[in-house]
Amino acid sequence: MAQQETDEQINDGFVVDTEDCEARELAHRERGTARPITVVGNPVLHRECKDVTEFDDKLAALIDDMFASQKAAEGVGLAANQIGVDLKVFVYDCPDDEGVRHTGVVVNPVLEELPAELRVLDESNEGCLSVPTAYAELARPDYAVVRGQDAQGNPIKVRGTGYFARCLQHETDHLYGYLYIDRLSKRDRKDALKQMAEGTPRYDTVPND
């Protein structure tokens, strides 16, 4: 990567992603270029993405563009396939329920299975940049751990609670071909798609042919 995330030290095996968030996020998006967002129906959103095998300047540039795109769309997380790139990468700039800001990137993420005692479900509203203007309640565990790699290929673990846990699960889902509406009942999915059809996105999107 052109500029290493030197302040993301490992603490108890988990990435410290709460330090210098504003400066790190700004550096990424100043180097990057915002791209339009793919929306439900685009094939790249509905299949598992390819593993990242090259940790090079091209990946670094993609991550910069993802941060720029995330900011332009006013999102808190963005997966690579949401800007049309078939690779397992997501970025995030997301608060937890205590208002603590988390900023980072995960390459080749894998969501850890939680033991039963940690599976406390939180049924809150969820939305998605790829399903613009639509929201629906969806139960997800309020704690999440994602394993993966950083931009240089080093192994990392990221953990989140509350809203940030939801973000980690949501973005990992994207890279395996799942949108949050795929986890809804048929009725709620239909309602979400209706909301999308009736709304107007506040950011540029890629029209589906």
Side-chain angles (χ1 to χ4, degrees):
M1 198 170 175
Q3 177 178 320
Q4 293 188 358
E5 308 289 309
T6 54
D7 51 355
E8 288 195 357
Q9 297 87 17
I10 303 300
N11 178 29
D12 295 330
F14 290 95
V15 165
V16 178
D17 58 5
T18 56
E19 297 178 353
D20 300 322
C21 291
E22 185 170 357
R24 291 189 290 112
E25 188 272 343
L26 180 61
H28 280 299
R29 61 184 170 88
E30 283 188 336
R31 293 190 299 263
T33 301
R35 306 190 200 179
I37 304 297
T38 56
V39 297
V40 58
N42 189 305
V44 75
L45 294 174
H46 303 284
R47 60 174 183 257
E48 181 175 345
C49 293
K50 297 174 182 175
D51 290 341
V52 174
T53 57
E54 299 291 333
F55 295 82
D56 53 14
D57 289 344
K58 188 175 180 180
L59 175 63
L62 170 63
I63 291 168
D64 291 340
D65 285 358
M66 289 174 67
F67 272 103
S69 303
Q70 175 179 254
K71 183 69 173 182
E74 301 177 19
V76 296
L78 186 77
N81 54 354
Q82 290 185 273
I83 56 169
V85 178
D86 186 11
L87 287 174
K88 286 182 181 168
V89 188
F90 74 78
V91 301
Y92 59 89
D93 187 18
C94 183
D96 59 28
D97 283 359
E98 285 69 51
V100 177
R101 183 177 179 179
H102 299 260
T103 303
V105 56
V106 185
V107 181
N108 298 328
V110 176
L111 189 66
E112 284 194 355
E113 286 290 331
L114 295 178
E117 62 270 19
L118 291 179
R119 286 185 61 83
V120 179
L121 294 181
D122 168 35
E123 190 156 345
S124 295
N125 252 13
E126 190 161 328
C128 179
L129 297 178
S130 292
V131 194
T133 74
Y135 297 89
E137 283 195 351
L138 177 63
R140 289 192 190 266
D142 68 355
Y143 177 76
V145 175
V146 171
R147 293 178 179 269
Q149 293 163 283
D150 66 13
Q152 291 76 44
N154 303 306
I156 56 171
K157 289 193 300 181
V158 182
R159 61 183 167 188
T161 59
Y163 186 55
F164 182 42
R166 182 175 293 273
C167 175
L168 293 174
Q169 294 168 82
H170 180 111
E171 300 308 330
T172 301
D173 270 358
H174 267 303
L175 300 176
Y176 290 86
Y178 295 100
L179 298 169
Y180 86 97
I181 59 172
D182 296 329
R183 298 191 177 277
L184 300 175
S185 68
K186 288 184 179 180
R187 179 179 179 179
D188 288 345
R189 177 189 169 92
K190 183 177 179 181
D191 180 67
L193 291 173
K194 182 182 178 183
Q195 290 179 53
M196 175 181 163
E198 293 175 347
T200 301
R202 62 183 182 273
Y203 44 83
D204 292 336
T205 60
V206 179
N208 293 329
D209 295 330

